[in-house]
């Protein structure tokens, strides 16, 4: 292997090979469920990055920093049954809190009847009822 002397040739090779490298790193993550970070800067200084679970998480682990990942960034397959049940309860609670706060703010902002807003749920969309 040797350096490509022609600058245009280097830029063309970089642009053609970058997607292939990304694909290979993605395959490695899929096959091995590994924590991987890939960061490449082009000659012009433009960054190209890939991280699983994220660049920050891998860098913190590499540097020995004890940063707990946020639960919503953790892949679902890494949770056990009890943790999945807790996550489901947390999401349900967050949804109820969000709808209650939205109802409260809507009622305070408008004394007239507002058109129904739609809340999207995994089972489809349904109108939310606002109580005044």
């Amino acid at each position: 292997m040797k350096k490509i002397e022609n600058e245009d040739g280097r830029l063309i090779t970089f642009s053609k090979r970058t997607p292939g490298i990304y694909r290979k790193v993605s395959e490695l993550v899929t096959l091995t469920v590994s924590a991987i970070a890939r960061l490449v800067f082009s000659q012009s200084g433009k960054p190209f990055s890939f991280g699983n679970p994220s660049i920050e998480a891998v860098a913190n682990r590499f540097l020995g920093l004890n940063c707990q990942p946020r639960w919503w960034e953790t892949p679902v397959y890494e949770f056990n049954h009890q943790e999945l049940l807790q996550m489901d309860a947390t999401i349900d609670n967050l949804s109820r809190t969000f709808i209650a706060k939205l109802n409260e703010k809507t009622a305070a902002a408008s004394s007239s009847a507002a058109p129904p807003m739609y809340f999207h749920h995994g089972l489809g969309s349904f109108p939310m009822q606002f109580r005044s």
Side-chain angles (χ1 to χ4, degrees):
M1 217 183 243
K2 73 176 204 172
K3 179 181 176 181
I4 300 172
E5 297 300 327
N6 180 336
E7 186 175 341
D8 289 339
R10 273 196 311 269
L11 294 173
I12 291 169
T13 301
F14 181 85
S15 67
K16 286 183 176 181
R17 292 212 173 186
T18 298
I21 293 170
Y22 174 80
R23 241 185 340 271
K24 290 294 184 183
V25 173
S26 296
E27 287 174 16
L28 186 59
V29 166
T30 302
L31 294 172
T32 64
V33 191
S34 300
I36 296 176
R38 173 195 151 269
L39 179 61
V40 178
F41 287 92
S42 69
Q43 218 173 352
S44 64
K46 184 177 177 183
F48 295 85
S49 64
F50 172 87
N52 181 54
S54 70
I55 293 267
E56 295 83 10
V58 175
N60 288 338
R61 185 173 175 188
F62 179 76
L63 296 171
L65 302 175
N66 191 10
C67 298
Q68 293 294 324
R70 295 178 288 219
W71 63 267
W72 56 87
E73 293 176 339
T74 305
V76 173
Y77 58 81
E78 290 185 10
F79 290 106
N80 64 34
H81 182 70
Q82 183 62 35
E83 291 169 329
L84 287 171
L85 291 174
Q86 287 176 321
M87 184 188 302
D88 183 51
T90 301
I91 292 171
D92 283 346
N93 186 34
L94 179 62
S95 177
R96 282 191 298 277
T97 303
F98 172 78
I99 291 171
K101 186 58 96 173
L102 185 61
N103 285 335
E104 177 185 309
K105 294 218 179 249
T106 302
S110 171
S111 59
S112 65
M117 294 183 65
Y118 288 86
F119 174 73
H120 180 74
H121 188 270
L123 301 175
S125 297
F126 55 90
M128 293 184 346
Q129 300 300 317
F130 295 97
R131 297 183 185 106
S132 32

